[in-house]
């Protein structure tokens, strides 16, 4: 039951942990930096627009790195752009999260061998929390990645590092295969 | 058949344009190549390239007032680099011509036509950036796509990418 369903009146009290409140606030207002580098940005914009409506998750692109919590690296990172990406990342206030969207920023994508000008994975220059595969990923995949960021934030506690939170997240990971099988059976496929 | 006829007529018009240029410059340019897609000739005496360019642009029966493209080419077997320029005559004639100009792969240079067709300005910079072709007389010959401190010319056949760029590993 949610807070609103419980019917809060001015006489009620809620007791929770600081971790819970902080994490809830952070994951409910993930503000990504509004910048796109290539075709993935088109999918990202589609995800922000009315059909997929990211604002229902409190995700709303900001025009300044100073106001952003999340960097969605949407597209091919060229060597020329790499240094700008580092600078933008450094301008973001902590805690900050990085989502690498699409094959290009994951590993260089189609440019991995002959793309002399392409950085072969944005994780060579900044730490990446979540990778979304695809070329480009569909909006559903991007939303999946953003949900993963939210799960990561849920794992955080005061006094533990990002690495510990990522470790906790990976320990809680579920193999999706049986869910897929179950759903397939349910629809009789 | 109908289509074949139309194409050959275009080539004929290009051949007529070529003969005007050939009349003036003689052996400074090569024979006409009646390529069905894009008829062309090559500039043999490259020191007259700007002169030929101005002639092609200004002659009342040529009026090649539009440079559609300028591409760089690497010919490692011949030890040469070159450019291929595509010309058309907007609003005046239907003829089209491609012109090839080559220079030595090591230490060679070509005359710039950036002041004849302004289109050539950025296209020559691109050819310089990708192939290392030097254009003498270009108003601002510097890299256009790669960063200024990039090493090597990426579209040369023997190009090897640098290991590091500003401390970032480049190869996969």
């Amino acid at each position: 039951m949610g807070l609103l369903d419980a019917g809060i009146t001015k006489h009620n009290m809620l007791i929770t942990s600081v971790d819970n409140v902080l994490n809830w606030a952070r994951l409910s207002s993930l503000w990504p930096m509004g910048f796109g580098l290539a075709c993935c940005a088109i999918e990202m914009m589609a995800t922000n627009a009315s059909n997929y409506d990211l604002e229902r998750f409190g995700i709303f692109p900001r025009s300044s790195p100073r106001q952003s919590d999340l960097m969605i690296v949407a597209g091919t990172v060229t060597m020329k752009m790499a240094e700008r990406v580092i600078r933008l990342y450094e301008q973001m206030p902590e805690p900050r999260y990085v989502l690498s969207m699409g094959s290009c920023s994951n590993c260089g994508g189609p440019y991995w061998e002959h793309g002399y000008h392409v950085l072969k994975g944005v994780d060579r220059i900044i730490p990446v929390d979540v990778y979304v595969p695809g070329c480009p990923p569909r909006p559903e995949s991007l939303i999946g990645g953003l949900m993963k960021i939210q799960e990561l934030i849920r794992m955080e506690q005061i006094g533990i590092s990002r690495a510990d939170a990522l470790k906790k997240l990976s320990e809680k990971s579920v193999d999706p295969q049986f869910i897929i099988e179950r759903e397939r059976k349910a629809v009789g496929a | 058949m109908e289509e074949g006829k139309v194409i050959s007529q275009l080539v004929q018009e290009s051949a007529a344009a070529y003969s005007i240029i050939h009349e003036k410059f003689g052996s400074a340019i090569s024979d006409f190549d009646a390529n069905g897609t894009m008829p062309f000739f090559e500039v043999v005496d490259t020191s007259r390239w700007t002169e030929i360019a101005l002639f092609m642009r200004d002659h009342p029966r040529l009026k090649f007032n539009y440079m559609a493209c300028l591409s760089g080419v690497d010919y490692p077997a011949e030890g040469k680099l070159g450019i291929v320029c595509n010309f058309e005559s907007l609003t005046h004639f239907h003829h089209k011509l491609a012109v090839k100009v080559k220079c030595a792969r090591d230490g060679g240079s070509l005359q710039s036509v950036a002041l004849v067709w302004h289109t050539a300005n950025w296209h020559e910079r691109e050819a310089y950036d990708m192939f290392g072709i030097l254009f003498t007389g270009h108003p601002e010959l510097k890299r256009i796509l790669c960063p200024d401190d990039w090493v090597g010319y990426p579209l040369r056949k023997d190009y090897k990418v640098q290991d590091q760029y500003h401390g970032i590993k480049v190869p996969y």
Side-chain angles (χ1 to χ4, degrees):
Chain A
M1 192 181 272
L3 289 177
L4 294 175
D5 304 321
I8 309 168
T9 69
K10 59 183 175 180
H11 303 300
N12 285 356
M13 270 174 110
L14 289 169
I15 296 176
T16 180
S17 68
V18 175
D19 279 337
N20 267 345
V21 174
L22 280 181
N23 290 349
W24 170 75
R26 276 179 190 157
L27 69 86
S28 312
S29 62
L30 265 181
W31 288 355
M33 195 159 66
F35 86 119
L37 300 179
C39 22
C40 279
I42 305 293
E43 294 295 303
M44 185 185 67
M45 287 182 264
T47 318
N48 277 310
S50 47
N51 272 14
Y52 291 92
D53 189 21
L54 274 186
E55 261 201 79
R56 64 196 153 126
F57 306 115
I59 298 172
F60 172 62
R62 304 297 300 180
S63 314
S64 161
R66 314 266 184 216
Q67 301 172 353
S68 314
D69 312 301
L70 170 67
M71 176 187 260
I72 301 177
V73 185
T76 318
V77 186
T78 58
M79 301 309 291
K80 225 175 175 179
M81 190 65 195
E83 290 173 306
R84 278 79 168 173
V85 169
I86 296 173
R87 173 175 293 191
L88 287 168
Y89 176 76
E90 285 171 351
Q91 284 175 343
M92 288 165 64
E94 286 179 337
R96 55 197 169 192
Y97 303 88
V98 177
L99 184 147
S100 163
M101 179 181 181
S103 299
C104 289
S105 74
N106 289 346
C107 63
Y111 310 101
W112 72 277
E113 191 173 10
H114 298 295
Y116 57 90
H117 61 301
V118 174
L119 179 69
K120 313 296 186 297
V122 76
D123 51 5
R124 285 190 181 178
I125 52 168
I126 54 174
V128 175
D129 296 304
V130 170
Y131 298 85
V132 178
C135 187
R138 282 193 56 86
E140 289 90 337
S141 315
L142 177 59
I143 292 172
L146 293 164
M147 299 293 100
K148 209 70 186 170
I149 296 262
Q150 293 191 333
E151 280 176 46
L152 168 65
I153 298 173
R154 265 194 204 100
M155 295 301 129
E156 290 188 341
Q157 289 167 9
I158 292 175
I160 75 164
S161 68
R162 176 70 59 85
D164 294 334
L166 280 164
K167 205 174 151 213
K168 268 174 74 185
L169 181 65
S170 68
E171 279 162 7
K172 282 195 68 174
S173 74
V174 182
D175 182 13
Q177 198 56 42
F178 87 94
I179 300 174
I180 295 170
E181 299 286 335
R182 193 183 66 201
E183 293 300 314
R184 274 188 187 149
K185 265 194 198 120
V187 296
Chain B
M1 277 319 281
E2 191 69 32
E3 202 184 348
K5 228 176 167 182
V6 173
I7 288 171
S8 70
Q9 197 195 332
L10 277 174
V11 173
Q12 277 172 24
E13 285 182 34
S14 302
Y18 166 80
S19 65
I20 296 170
I21 305 167
H22 186 66
E23 219 170 86
K24 164 94 175 163
F25 292 97
S27 62
I29 63 173
S30 74
D31 290 338
F32 179 67
D33 188 312
N35 186 298
T37 315
M38 182 52 77
F40 68 91
F41 68 86
E42 190 182 326
V43 176
V44 180
D45 184 359
T46 53
S47 64
R48 299 186 75 183
W49 166 223
T50 314
E51 201 187 329
I52 294 168
L54 274 170
F55 181 78
M56 286 173 70
R57 190 191 69 180
D58 293 335
H59 191 280
R61 283 174 61 202
L62 295 174
K63 290 272 183 197
F64 283 105
N65 54 9
Y66 175 53
M67 172 183 263
C69 193
L70 185 155
S71 323
V73 189
D74 186 11
Y75 307 95
E78 299 173 41
K80 283 189 169 174
L81 295 168
I83 53 169
V84 180
C85 312
N86 299 71
F87 296 108
E88 292 173 29
S89 175
L90 294 184
T91 73
H92 295 285
F93 303 105
H94 290 298
H95 54 219
K96 293 176 181 181
L97 261 181
V99 182
K100 298 186 179 184
V101 198
K102 294 180 187 174
C103 69
R105 211 156 179 275
D106 302 308
S109 67
L110 291 175
Q111 291 184 345
S112 168
V113 289
L115 299 175
V116 183
W117 295 277
H118 287 309
T119 307
N121 187 321
W122 282 14
H123 282 65
E124 285 178 352
R125 276 178 64 185
E126 191 195 25
Y128 164 70
D129 193 356
M130 295 292 140
F131 295 93
I133 305 170
L134 290 171
F135 292 91
T136 52
H138 190 284
E140 196 192 15
L141 192 67
K142 58 174 191 176
R143 286 186 185 270
I144 189 167
L145 293 168
C146 291
D148 285 341
D149 54 354
W150 195 256
V151 180
Y153 302 105
L155 291 190
R156 285 199 187 194
K157 300 285 183 196
D158 56 358
Y159 174 69
K160 289 278 181 295
V161 80
Q162 55 194 323
D163 260 353
Q164 298 260 322
Y165 175 71
H166 290 191
I168 305 167
K169 191 178 163 219
V170 182
Y172 184 71

